[in-house]
Amino acid sequence: MNTSRTNQLLVLFIVGLSLLLLVIPFSLAILWSLVDPSHAWSYPDILPPVLSFRRWIEVWTTTSLPIALMNSYTLAPTVALCTILLALPTAFAFGRLEFPGKAVAQSLTLLPLMIPSFVVALFFSSLLTELGIYSRFLGILIGHTILFIPYAIRILSVSFSLIRQDIVDATRDLGGNSLTVFRTAYLPTLRSGLFASFIMVFIMSIEEFALAFVIGSPDFTTVPTILYSYLGYNFIRPNAAVVSLILVVPNVFLMLLIERFLKGQNTASITGKG
């Protein structure tokens, strides 16, 4: 079998897998969200007997979804910004400096990723009480920042390592101050990492459930906690489909945006040209 034939089969396999994992679940979620409340969709019907937007209107007008959306989309960018600011010094050290114990320090920063988020949430809520922090928003903000900072450190340290030292040295030799060196030598390469980190942390904060549920309940609701109310003790599949689409669709567009941005930035980031 030649290489061209192998590549074609590989492409067909990837397309088929994408259809199985993405198109079918999305299609079912859309259909379930459009099931009319007065006409249930059940076996042996292949498709819903009546389609309408009544579920969307019902969920929007009878639940705290608008407040949850406002909470989620206020919290997520704040978390992303705080995470990047706190991750920058460590990422710079990992990406640009050589020091004893660097490999151990890099491994230690990844430890929070190995702990189940519900365990972190339970201990962290107790710590917040001990510290006298009773603000739900501030508590989740601190929790999300700690939880997601390893991702930002990892992405930014790679970006820092791609910065060419000869460009940094040339900028300094030409008399550039620290701000000029950062803007001229560091920022063009670092920009894609900053953007990727922001979007990645933003999406993870939007989708995070355990910390938001343990620390925020019952006063502070986010979109995932609303979704859980329809999937857990009060199982309503059509309403859950509505909330899941509201949660997932913006994130899909953000992931496509980051993919497009990184594709356009890669060559310039690595070579320093363009």
Side-chain angles (χ1 to χ4, degrees):
M1 186 180 296
N2 57 34
T3 306
S4 176
R5 181 67 175 166
T6 305
N7 290 339
Q8 288 177 356
L9 290 175
L10 184 61
V11 170
L12 286 175
F13 174 75
I14 293 173
V15 170
L17 190 64
S18 301
L19 286 173
L20 184 66
L21 297 179
L22 294 175
V23 176
I24 294 176
F26 263 99
S27 301
L28 286 175
I30 292 171
L31 285 176
W32 273 111
S33 73
L34 296 175
V35 172
D36 190 272
S38 305
H39 301 81
W41 182 20
S42 59
Y43 182 82
D45 296 331
I46 298 176
L47 294 174
V50 178
L51 298 179
S52 74
F53 285 99
R54 287 179 58 187
R55 294 282 182 181
W56 289 77
I57 297 171
E58 179 184 303
V59 171
W60 185 261
T61 55
T62 62
T63 70
S64 58
L65 183 61
I67 297 174
L69 276 170
M70 188 179 67
N71 289 339
S72 291
Y73 282 90
T74 304
L75 184 68
T78 311
V79 169
L81 187 61
C82 293
T83 303
I84 288 174
L85 290 176
L86 291 174
L88 276 173
T90 307
F92 176 82
F94 288 164
R96 305 296 298 173
L97 305 179
E98 293 297 331
F99 54 89
K102 179 179 174 180
V104 176
Q106 287 176 314
S107 299
L108 289 175
T109 58
L110 299 178
L111 279 181
L113 304 181
M114 303 175 189
I115 304 173
S117 54
F118 260 111
V119 175
V120 175
L122 290 173
F123 283 100
F124 191 71
S125 62
S126 175
L127 178 64
L128 289 176
T129 305
E130 291 294 326
L131 294 174
I133 299 175
Y134 298 106
S135 168
R136 310 288 189 189
F137 181 89
L138 184 59
I140 300 173
L141 170 63
I142 297 172
H144 279 190
T145 302
I146 294 172
L147 200 62
F148 302 137
I149 202 168
Y151 296 97
I153 290 174
R154 181 65 181 160
I155 295 171
L156 290 172
S157 61
V158 172
S159 295
F160 272 116
S161 69
L162 293 175
I163 296 170
R164 291 171 51 179
Q165 187 59 40
D166 57 338
I167 297 178
V168 176
D169 294 337
T171 309
R172 285 179 179 150
D173 292 342
L174 290 172
N177 56 27
S178 299
L179 182 61
T180 304
V181 171
F182 177 77
R183 184 168 49 83
T184 307
Y186 282 81
L187 191 57
T189 305
L190 201 57
R191 189 181 294 122
S192 57
L194 290 169
F195 185 77
S197 302
F198 187 91
I199 298 296
M200 186 69 71
V201 174
F202 181 93
I203 291 173
M204 288 190 292
S205 178
I206 285 284
E207 295 182 346
E208 201 283 330
F209 166 71
L211 272 169
F213 181 74
V214 173
I215 298 174
S217 294
D219 304 322
F220 192 91
T221 56
T222 61
V223 179
T225 58
I226 294 283
L227 178 60
Y228 174 77
S229 69
Y230 289 125
L231 291 176
Y233 51 84
N234 190 22
F235 184 76
I236 307 176
R237 196 195 307 269
N239 290 6
V242 172
V243 179
S244 63
L245 286 173
I246 291 173
L247 178 66
V248 171
V249 170
N251 292 346
V252 172
F253 282 107
L254 286 174
M255 289 303 293
L256 293 175
L257 181 65
I258 190 173
E259 176 67 21
R260 180 172 182 146
F261 181 83
L262 292 179
K263 192 179 292 182
Q265 291 287 316
N266 252 351
T267 305
S269 297
I270 295 172
T271 65
K273 299 176 181 177

